[in-house]
């Protein structure tokens, strides 16, 4: 499962997303330097050399001082994933402040209504997650409803329920992927351009969609024909081999 901060880096248009690994010291340092240089900008340009010197033996001390200046909570500093997530959230707040007029329309309502798509929708989704109040009654009620549908035991701590729901979704996804790999029917590759539709449709996208629908319909008809044939065979097996009970027979009057 992808870490929670990956999509946030994508929304920030970070070029280091694919190389980002908190457990890799050089990659971690490179990302911290990029966040400070491009998004957070807490220090003046000339004061960022300590974080830019990725191979320096003084980098850990410079980074600790940087966290102190950011007032980063000490409880999360020992966990690289939590620390990185905190830094990225910090960067997102500055990104929003720099582009508040452009980002203000990025709301959940605009995403669900289809007004925002692609990168804009990704940014709006990240922003809505950052604005969640995990201690609110609304959040607890929402998690409780999800837990009920997933048939998971209730708990007083909403964060524990959220973790349980995350594990459930991951397991469900893994099982679905495995089931698809093991039980899917063999398919063939088709080029829609080589297919004749038989309808006069000018728009190429609508034409391709109609071709796909026709293929799906033909596939359903084939399945139905197979089921009909199996039913006929079963009926013939019964009628072609009748069983009689002679004790019930009667001869004469």
């Amino acid at each position: 499962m992808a870490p929670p901060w990956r999509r946030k880096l994508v929304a920030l248009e970070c070029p280091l997303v694919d190389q980002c690994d908190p457990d890799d010291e050089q990659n971690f340092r490179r990302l911290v330097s990029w966040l400070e240089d491009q998004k957070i900008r807490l220090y003046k340009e000339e004061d960022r050399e300590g974080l830019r010197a990725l191979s320096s033996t003084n980098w850990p001390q410079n980074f600790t001082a940087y966290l102190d200046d950011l007032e980063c909570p000490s409880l999360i500093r020992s966990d690289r994933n939590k620390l990185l997530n905190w830094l990225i959230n910090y960067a997102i707040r500055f990104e929003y402040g720099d582009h508040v007029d452009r980002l203000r329309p990025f709301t959940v309502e605009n995403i669900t209504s289809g007004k925002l798509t692609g990168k804009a929708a990704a940014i709006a989704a990240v922003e809505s997650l950052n604005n969640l109040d995990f201690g609110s009654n609304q959040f607890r009620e929402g998690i409780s409803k999800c837990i009920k549908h997933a048939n998971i035991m209730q708990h007083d701590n909403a964060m524990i329920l959220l973790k349980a729901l995350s594990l459930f979704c991951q397991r469900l996804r893994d099982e679905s992927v495995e089931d698809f790999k093991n039980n899917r029917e063999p398919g063939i590759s088709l080029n829609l351009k080589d297919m004749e539709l038989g309808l006069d449709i000018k728009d190429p996208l609508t034409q391709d969609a109609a071709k796909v629908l026709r293929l799906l319909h033909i596939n359903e008809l084939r399945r139905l024909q197979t089921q009909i044939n199996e039913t006929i065979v079963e009926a013939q097996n019964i009628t072609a081999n009748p069983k009689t009970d002679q004790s019930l027979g009667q001869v004469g009057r």
Side-chain angles (χ1 to χ4, degrees):
M1 184 173 60
W5 38 261
R6 180 179 176 82
R7 287 191 300 174
K8 299 177 184 180
L9 286 178
V10 173
L12 289 173
E13 300 181 342
C14 177
L16 307 174
V17 175
D18 295 332
Q19 296 82 28
C20 183
D21 181 5
D23 296 327
D24 187 298
E25 187 64 27
Q26 286 299 311
N27 286 340
F28 178 77
R29 293 183 181 187
R30 189 177 295 110
L31 180 58
V32 169
S33 179
W34 183 86
L35 288 172
E36 168 58 21
D37 274 333
Q38 302 298 326
K39 302 299 177 181
I40 299 177
R41 300 189 294 276
L42 176 69
Y43 293 157
K44 295 180 180 179
E45 184 76 20
E46 59 272 14
D47 295 333
R48 300 174 191 167
E49 292 301 324
L51 294 177
R52 292 173 178 170
L54 305 182
S55 301
S56 173
T57 57
N58 294 326
W59 196 92
Q61 291 87 342
N62 296 331
F63 181 54
T64 299
Y66 178 64
L67 294 179
D68 291 338
D69 292 336
L70 289 176
E71 297 183 356
C72 174
S74 58
L75 294 177
I76 66 171
R77 296 190 184 188
S78 58
D79 189 320
R80 279 286 175 89
N81 277 285
K82 292 181 179 180
L83 177 58
L84 183 57
N85 191 55
W86 186 89
L87 287 171
I88 294 172
N89 286 340
Y90 201 97
I92 289 175
R93 288 197 293 270
F94 279 94
E95 180 76 3
Y96 182 80
D98 291 341
H99 306 93
V100 61
D101 293 332
R102 178 171 62 87
L103 298 177
R104 185 176 288 115
F106 295 167
T107 62
V108 176
E109 289 77 12
N110 287 342
I111 296 175
T112 55
S113 65
K115 294 181 180 179
L116 297 177
T117 59
K119 185 186 297 183
I123 296 175
V126 169
E127 186 61 30
S128 63
L129 288 175
N130 289 333
N131 291 331
L132 276 178
D133 182 4
F134 296 101
S136 66
N137 291 331
Q138 185 179 9
F139 176 78
R140 293 175 182 273
E141 291 173 0
I143 290 295
S144 295
K145 290 180 181 179
C146 294
I147 289 294
K148 184 178 180 180
H149 287 300
N151 199 23
I152 299 175
M153 183 180 296
Q154 293 286 347
H155 194 278
D156 293 335
N157 191 326
M159 299 307 296
I160 293 179
L161 292 179
L162 183 61
K163 179 65 174 178
L165 190 61
S166 174
L167 294 174
F168 172 81
C169 292
Q170 178 62 29
R171 187 185 66 181
L172 187 64
R173 174 186 174 275
D174 293 341
E175 291 177 353
S176 299
V177 171
E178 192 65 26
D179 181 68
F180 174 76
K181 290 180 179 178
N182 297 333
N183 301 319
R184 65 174 176 174
E185 298 179 359
I188 58 175
S189 298
L190 292 175
N191 190 342
L192 292 179
K193 294 181 180 179
D194 298 334
M195 292 182 55
E196 292 294 336
L197 179 59
L199 298 175
D200 186 17
I201 299 178
K202 304 297 183 182
D203 182 58
L205 293 178
T206 305
Q207 189 178 77
D208 287 346
K211 290 179 180 179
V212 171
L213 289 175
R214 170 163 289 185
L215 287 173
L216 292 173
H217 179 60
I218 292 174
N219 188 51
E220 288 296 324
L221 288 178
R222 287 178 177 174
R223 289 184 179 179
L224 177 60
Q225 184 62 55
T226 300
Q227 293 172 354
I228 292 174
N229 292 341
E230 292 174 349
T231 303
I232 293 175
V233 171
E234 289 296 327
Q236 288 177 341
N237 289 335
I238 296 174
T239 58
N241 186 24
K243 296 181 180 179
T244 60
D245 189 347
Q246 295 182 355
S247 63
L248 299 178
Q250 182 177 355
V251 180
R253 293 185 177 180

